[in-house]
Amino acid sequence: KAGVTQTPRYLIKTRGQQVTLSCSPISGHRSVSWYQQTPGQGLQFLFEYFSETQRNKGNFPGRFSGRQFSNSRSEMNVSTLELGDSALYLCASSFGTEHSYEQYFGPGTRLTVT
Amino acid sequence: AQKVTQAQTEISVVEKEDVTLDCVYETRDTTYYLFWYKQPPSGELVFLIRRNSFDEQNEISGRYSWNFQKSTSSFNFTITASQVVDSAVYFCALSEARGYSTLTFGKGTMLLVSP
């Protein structure tokens, strides 16, 4: 079974620009979550989608948004990029949205904002 | 609010040594799950184990073992006879019943195993 895939793997953007990251979950998984990983803050939850609905949202500004499509694929968008948005963005998929399900992570997208 | 603390930032051992990674958690929920993930240099988080709050049995899987103690809110991870391939950052994480599958992670412990 193929794992979680994320595209692109690396991205360099300039302050003020916007960026869209993509995530394809494991086949059969309907829940997709996004996390931001930085050296200072560690791993922080961004949002979770299940059946095209946002179920939970972390403490991030409105510049961070996401969506999920009917095939469970998900995208996250960051508008008006800031230097502090430089991070590894990890997508995770799980079978369901219950807290008992383990999440499987993709390789991440490394975003650098200059 | 939920919180996971991994007090050890970095641990260095020589191959074949045993090593224990500590994890202490805080939650007000009575129903929760605890997880360990491994992050090798490639960056992808690899799921290692899941334990629910009602199951305090220790678990052993090959060279890995986990000790869950609700009385001390700890979920420690031991690697026996460490190998160079064990070098990675290890994260402990918590999910609560009311938080869907959202994970709250500790800061991670970097394990360096030298030959």
Side-chain angles (χ1 to χ4, degrees):
Chain A
K1 197 181 246 189
V4 178
T5 58
Q6 292 187 247
T7 57
R9 292 292 311 279
Y10 302 91
L11 207 49
I12 299 175
K13 289 287 188 177
T14 305
R15 263 184 310 175
Q17 287 186 316
Q18 76 165 22
V19 66
T20 299
L21 312 181
S22 181
C23 171
S24 293
I26 291 172
S27 177
H29 283 191
R30 297 168 62 193
S31 173
V32 174
S33 297
W34 290 88
Y35 293 83
Q36 180 196 64
Q37 185 176 25
T38 59
Q41 299 299 317
L43 279 155
Q44 293 185 288
F45 170 73
L46 280 157
F47 26 65
E48 176 187 1
Y49 286 88
F50 180 80
S51 292
E52 302 178 64
T53 301
Q54 188 180 88
R55 289 300 184 97
N56 207 0
K57 189 178 189 303
N59 189 25
F60 278 82
R63 300 184 297 108
F64 291 81
S65 62
R67 60 178 177 169
Q68 187 180 34
F69 302 95
S70 58
N71 62 357
S72 294
R73 191 177 67 86
S74 177
E75 289 181 347
M76 69 162 281
N77 184 277
V78 188
S79 62
T80 319
L81 284 165
E82 300 177 359
L83 294 178
D85 297 332
S86 295
L88 179 66
Y89 289 88
L90 291 162
C91 167
S93 79
S94 62
F95 181 75
T97 192
E98 292 298 319
H99 73 300
S100 56
Y101 289 110
E102 61 267 27
Q103 295 188 43
Y104 294 90
F105 285 80
T109 294
R110 174 79 59 188
L111 172 64
T112 302
V113 182
T114 62
Chain B
Q2 67 273 29
K3 185 179 178 182
V4 177
T5 302
Q6 294 181 256
Q8 304 149 309
T9 305
E10 185 173 322
I11 300 175
S12 293
V13 299
V14 177
E15 214 170 14
K16 295 184 183 176
E17 282 187 29
D18 298 346
V19 58
T20 295
L21 310 181
D22 298 332
C23 172
V24 174
Y25 63 92
E26 294 176 31
T27 177
R28 293 182 180 178
D29 270 3
T30 56
T31 304
Y32 53 89
Y33 274 78
L34 295 163
F35 302 80
W36 275 94
Y37 284 85
K38 171 182 179 180
Q39 187 176 41
S42 61
E44 185 170 340
L45 282 165
V46 178
F47 167 74
L48 295 177
I49 190 172
R50 173 189 63 184
R51 172 69 71 219
N52 77 56
S53 52
F54 299 105
D55 182 2
E56 287 193 73
Q57 280 193 341
N58 293 333
E59 182 158 340
I60 298 174
S61 176
R63 296 185 297 107
Y64 297 168
S65 62
W66 290 269
N67 184 302
F68 175 35
Q69 292 193 337
K70 285 181 73 171
S71 60
T72 55
S73 296
S74 65
F75 185 43
N76 297 337
F77 172 32
T78 297
I79 302 175
T80 303
S82 59
Q83 300 175 0
V84 173
V85 293
D86 295 327
S87 295
V89 181
Y90 291 84
F91 291 93
C92 180
L94 164 74
S95 68
E96 299 174 314
R98 59 181 144 184
Y100 299 102
S101 57
T102 300
L103 292 170
T104 298
F105 285 91
K107 293 291 189 185
T109 297
M110 178 177 285
L111 174 64
L112 300 172
V113 182
S114 54

